[in-house]
Amino acid sequence: MSTKTSRFLAVAATSLALSLGIAHAAQPDAPMGGPGGAGGWHGHFMKELSQLHSQLNLNADQEKQWQSALDTMKQTHEAERANHEQMKQQFKAMQQQPILDLNALHAAHQKVEQQDAQLREQSANAWLAFYNGLNDQQKTTVSTALKQRFAMMEQRHEKMRERWEQHRGAAPGGASTLKP
C-alpha cells in the first residue's frame, strides 16, 4: 500500500471517528454545550450516527466492536479534555512568574500533544477494528456516509474560503485592497 493511500485511509478513519465521536458526545448522558445548545449540531450528529448504526444491521460481534470503539473514543475525549485543562492550569501558574519560562511551556505543550496523538491513535485503531469487521455491504454503507460527510465539509470549507476572499478584498467605500 502506498504512503498516499495509507494516509488517506488514516484520514478517513479519523474522520469517521471524529464524526461518530461528536455524535456520541450528544448522547443524553453527555453534557450538551456548544453551538445551538441542547438541540444544535450535537442533535444533528446524533441523528446521523443513529441512522448509520441502524443501517448497518450489526451482528453481536460487530455490535461489541461498535460499543468498544464508542467507549474508546469517549475515554479519548475525556482524557484530551483533562490534558487541556492541565495545560491551562500550568499556563496560569507560569503567568505568575515575572519571566515566562517558554522552554518549560513548550515542553509541557509537546508532552500534551504527544499524549493526545497517542489517544487519537487508540481511538482510530478501535474504529478501524470495527470497520474491518464489517462485510462489503456494510463497508459500502459506511463509505457512502463518509463521502457525504467529506462533501459537506468541502462545501463548508469553500463557503469559508469565499467569505474570506470577500472580506479580504473589500475595503471601505467598496475599493479593493488587493493589488493586481
Side-chain angles (χ1 to χ4, degrees):
M1 183 180 330
S2 74
T3 304
K4 193 173 192 177
T5 303
S6 62
R7 205 174 311 143
F8 175 76
L9 291 175
V11 168
T14 302
S15 295
L16 173 64
L18 290 175
S19 294
L20 296 175
I22 292 170
H24 178 66
Q27 290 183 346
D29 61 336
M32 296 294 284
W41 55 271
H42 283 297
H44 178 71
F45 280 117
M46 188 59 198
K47 182 180 176 184
E48 284 183 11
L49 177 64
S50 295
Q51 288 173 347
L52 178 62
H53 185 257
S54 65
Q55 290 172 357
L56 291 175
N57 299 316
L58 302 175
N59 65 34
D61 289 338
Q62 292 169 331
E63 185 64 35
K64 285 179 187 175
Q65 287 182 312
W66 173 274
Q67 292 304 322
S68 175
L70 284 175
D71 291 344
T72 301
M73 188 174 46
K74 184 177 180 181
Q75 292 167 1
T76 294
H77 180 70
E78 290 170 1
E80 285 179 323
R81 189 180 294 176
N83 285 345
H84 175 75
E85 186 59 34
Q86 179 186 9
M87 186 70 198
K88 188 173 154 182
Q89 294 305 319
Q90 283 178 323
F91 184 69
K92 281 184 180 181
M94 286 182 180
Q95 284 180 317
Q96 302 305 312
Q97 303 300 320
I99 298 175
L100 289 175
D101 183 352
L102 294 183
N103 291 312
L105 183 61
H106 177 70
H109 183 260
Q110 287 298 102
K111 180 181 175 187
V112 167
E113 285 293 316
Q114 289 173 349
Q115 289 171 345
D116 286 352
Q118 289 172 345
L119 291 166
R120 287 188 299 271
E121 186 66 21
Q122 289 172 358
S123 186
N125 286 336
W127 282 112
L128 287 171
F130 163 73
Y131 182 77
N132 291 333
L134 299 177
N135 62 37
D136 286 347
Q137 182 180 0
Q138 292 167 320
K139 286 181 180 181
T140 300
T141 301
V142 171
S143 296
T144 300
L146 280 172
K147 289 175 185 178
Q148 290 171 348
R149 166 72 49 208
F150 294 154
M152 192 169 65
M153 289 168 51
E154 181 58 32
Q155 288 174 348
R156 286 184 188 149
H157 187 256
E158 187 59 35
K159 283 181 184 178
M160 288 172 51
R161 187 180 308 126
E162 288 172 6
R163 287 184 191 135
W164 175 249
E165 289 298 323
Q166 288 174 353
H167 176 74
R168 244 183 32 180
S176 176
T177 58
L178 298 176
K179 304 215 184 222

